[in-house]
Amino acid sequence: MEKELITMTQKELDKYETIKRLIAEEISVGDAAKQLNRSTRQVKRLRGKVRREGAKGIVHGLRGKVGNRRTDPEIWNKAKKTILAKYPDFGPTFAYEKLIEKEGVKIGEGTVRNLMIAENIWKPKRRKQNQQYRRQRERKECFGEMEQFDGCYHIWFGGFETCLLASIDDATGRIVRAVFTDSESVINVFKFWKGYIEAPGKPVAIYLDKFSTYKINHKNAKDNSEMITQFQRACKELDIALICANSPQAKGRIERLFKTLQDRLVKELRLRGIGDIAVANKFLEVEFIPDFNQRFAVVAKGKNDLHRKPDGAQLANLDAIFSIQSQRKVQNDFTVRFKNQWIQIAKEQIVTVCRKDSVLIEERLDGALAIRLRNKYLNFKILPEKPQKSKQIITAIPAKRIVNCPPANHPWRKQIAAEIAKIAC
């Protein structure tokens, strides 16, 4: 009778020796369970298999066979062709979602990852060895307690660079608001936060970087509390605390969000053929942000929403708060010069206006102007350009030069003639 060759690993051999000692009653079931780090129930099952099948009972029953959960080769090939045709630059998780949602291919997420690695469609990135020790900061407890905010310049759609302003809640990881703009200017940032406050309300704090829109980085600004930006002034009026991060890693939640959006959002916009800022913002608000929050948001430790609704007076004053404010002096003719235009202060006002008064000019988000003095708004009108002073250039005509030629009997002529005669002799 031909003997069957059984291939076993060293671990399986050790397990077999332990079970043989158990069968020979050299050790108890409890001792065998401790040696094999298994439960007594598993040890009894192994003892029964070895009694029936011998050493073969130690080896896994599916060794050398096709797994029961092996992916059907047809599904594997279909997924491979679909990924190569439509999603070659997608990551495994994103490609898996699209295969399920759009293509109807029933395949596991891990299988998609293994497929993309095996077919050289996607290569896993090697994890960096962090050389600097960083301690993880715990999330805030409640929604609205702190918002991480930043802008990201990227070619999001249409082949041209745009800026995405986004705010993510620290406690839940939810994208509260995101808007495409042309730049991270103070006007665009004001529009973003005005829309934010009108919806969920005022957050307790905003965590952001030291970009010039948010903070004056001059060394003298540390000692002078009056040197603040327009954004700092607006947040101070709204009682919103600003926290400036000293490194990108400190506000890592918003940085990781942009990294994720540069992968997912760019491809979603491309699949839908979106190339316009207005359409992209509509897609963000209606489809992308709700879907993103449903997939990736977490539950906050606290159940309360710490956003504060602005009161009626504050809500009515949002246009003034989110305006670019400048100080100007009233001239002797009750005019004010602002951005190369002259503004005439009207005679009838609800507050007394004097010459050399310092007025506050508000440049609203819609382009309108307002002038305020002692918290009262003044009546004014913009004057046409003042006539320029005539500049007459008078060109002086030089008089004709008269050359005075001395006569022959002039003393210095006689002297020169005498010297010439001496030389000739």
Side-chain angles (χ1 to χ4, degrees):
M1 183 177 178
E2 188 176 346
K3 293 184 178 181
E4 183 181 3
L5 181 64
I6 302 174
T7 304
M8 301 176 70
T9 64
Q10 185 61 47
K11 188 176 181 180
E12 289 171 338
L13 283 172
D14 293 342
K15 186 186 294 185
Y16 179 58
E17 292 298 328
T18 301
I19 297 300
K20 282 203 305 182
R21 292 180 64 196
L22 176 62
I23 294 173
E25 297 184 354
E26 296 178 7
I27 57 175
S28 66
V29 175
D31 293 337
K34 292 177 182 178
Q35 290 182 2
L36 299 178
N37 195 22
R38 296 288 186 271
S39 65
T40 56
R41 180 171 176 267
Q42 287 177 307
V43 170
K44 290 177 181 179
R45 289 178 60 193
L46 280 173
R47 181 179 62 181
K49 283 189 73 176
V50 170
R51 280 174 175 170
R52 293 191 304 270
E53 303 176 15
K56 192 176 179 181
I58 296 294
V59 181
H60 197 281
L62 289 178
R63 178 175 292 179
K65 300 179 182 179
V66 177
N68 295 331
R69 298 186 179 183
R70 181 190 179 192
T71 304
D72 190 343
E74 292 185 4
I75 297 177
W76 178 282
N77 292 329
K78 183 179 179 181
K80 175 186 173 182
K81 291 178 181 178
T82 305
I83 292 172
L84 288 172
K86 295 184 178 181
Y87 316 113
D89 56 342
F90 282 44
T93 303
F94 202 20
Y96 159 74
E97 292 173 5
K98 294 303 171 186
L99 288 175
I100 297 296
E101 296 171 4
K102 304 291 184 182
E103 312 298 334
V105 180
K106 295 182 178 180
I107 190 170
E109 182 179 350
T111 305
V112 174
R113 183 179 298 273
N114 294 334
L115 184 154
M116 296 180 73
I117 294 173
E119 302 295 340
N120 290 324
I121 302 173
W122 178 79
K123 292 182 179 179
K125 292 182 180 179
R126 188 176 179 181
R127 294 182 68 92
K128 284 185 182 180
Q129 295 295 329
N130 193 0
Q131 301 296 330
Q132 184 178 0
Y133 172 75
R134 296 185 186 276
R135 182 172 61 87
Q136 185 179 16
R137 177 185 60 80
E138 290 188 8
R139 291 175 180 264
K140 297 296 183 181
E141 290 189 1
C142 298
F143 178 59
E145 189 173 353
M146 185 174 77
E147 297 296 316
Q148 293 195 20
F149 172 72
D150 201 1
C152 179
Y153 289 90
H154 188 67
I155 302 177
W156 298 99
F157 53 83
F160 55 92
E161 189 177 71
T162 52
C163 179
L164 176 64
L165 299 176
S167 171
I168 185 171
D169 184 68
D170 189 76
T172 63
R174 285 176 52 189
I175 301 177
V176 185
R177 194 162 191 257
V179 176
F180 284 111
T181 61
D182 58 348
S183 67
E184 199 175 354
S185 65
V186 63
I187 293 291
N188 291 329
V189 171
F190 273 176
K191 289 179 179 178
F192 179 94
W193 283 104
K194 184 173 182 288
Y196 185 107
I197 291 172
E198 289 174 343
K202 300 185 299 179
V204 177
I206 302 175
Y207 202 17
L208 33 67
D209 56 21
K210 296 181 180 179
F211 185 59
S212 58
T213 300
Y214 316 121
K215 185 178 184 297
I216 295 177
N217 297 304
H218 195 275
K219 59 181 179 180
N220 291 337
K222 296 180 180 179
D223 300 325
N224 190 352
S225 59
E226 295 180 359
M227 294 179 65
I228 60 174
T229 63
Q230 296 282 346
F231 186 71
Q232 286 176 311
R233 187 262 314 154
C235 289
K236 187 176 180 180
E237 292 184 27
L238 291 168
D239 191 26
I240 299 175
L242 290 183
I243 306 171
C244 291
N246 293 320
S247 67
Q249 291 81 3
K251 54 183 185 64
R253 190 152 289 117
I254 188 70
E255 297 291 345
R256 289 191 296 272
L257 171 67
F258 284 134
K259 188 175 181 180
T260 303
L261 296 183
Q262 286 176 7
D263 179 37
R264 284 178 168 260
L265 180 55
V266 169
K267 289 161 185 172
E268 291 283 13
L269 293 169
R270 187 185 69 198
L271 291 175
R272 288 164 174 77
I274 296 175
D276 179 69
I277 287 183
V279 180
N281 283 331
K282 189 69 176 178
F283 167 71
L284 270 177
E285 181 182 0
V286 176
E287 295 185 44
F288 185 82
I289 292 178
D291 180 71
F292 184 93
N293 290 338
Q294 186 178 5
R295 292 179 186 275
F296 301 112
V298 299
V299 179
K301 293 180 181 178
K303 297 181 180 179
N304 297 327
D305 183 359
L306 297 188
H307 282 101
R308 298 159 295 168
K309 292 292 183 180
D311 55 25
Q314 203 171 52
L315 194 61
N317 203 33
L318 281 181
D319 288 334
I321 294 173
F322 289 113
S323 64
I324 299 178
Q325 300 180 2
S326 308
Q327 295 280 349
R328 291 294 186 272
K329 288 284 186 181
V330 177
Q331 303 296 322
N332 290 334
D333 56 354
F334 292 95
T335 59
V336 176
R337 187 171 177 82
F338 179 72
K339 289 191 174 181
N340 293 326
Q341 60 184 357
W342 289 94
I343 301 173
Q344 179 67 65
I345 305 296
K347 184 177 181 180
E348 295 182 358
Q349 302 289 349
I350 59 175
V351 62
T352 303
V353 182
C354 301
R355 297 177 180 87
K356 306 303 179 183
D357 270 345
S358 181
V359 295
L360 190 69
I361 299 181
E362 299 175 358
E363 196 174 2
R364 303 287 177 85
L365 297 180
D366 57 359
L369 292 180
I371 301 179
R372 189 170 57 181
L373 177 63
R374 295 189 287 275
N375 292 325
K376 303 292 183 180
Y377 286 97
L378 305 180
N379 301 320
F380 67 92
K381 67 176 181 178
I382 298 176
L383 297 175
E385 187 174 356
K386 282 191 173 183
Q388 295 183 356
K389 295 181 179 180
S390 61
K391 298 179 181 180
Q392 296 181 357
I393 301 175
I394 302 174
T395 305
I397 301 175
K400 187 177 181 180
R401 186 177 179 184
I402 301 174
V403 180
N404 187 15
C405 185
N409 58 354
H410 197 277
W412 67 266
R413 278 184 176 271
K414 291 178 179 181
Q415 185 180 359
I416 292 175
E419 290 179 356
I420 293 174
K422 289 180 181 180
I423 295 172
C425 295

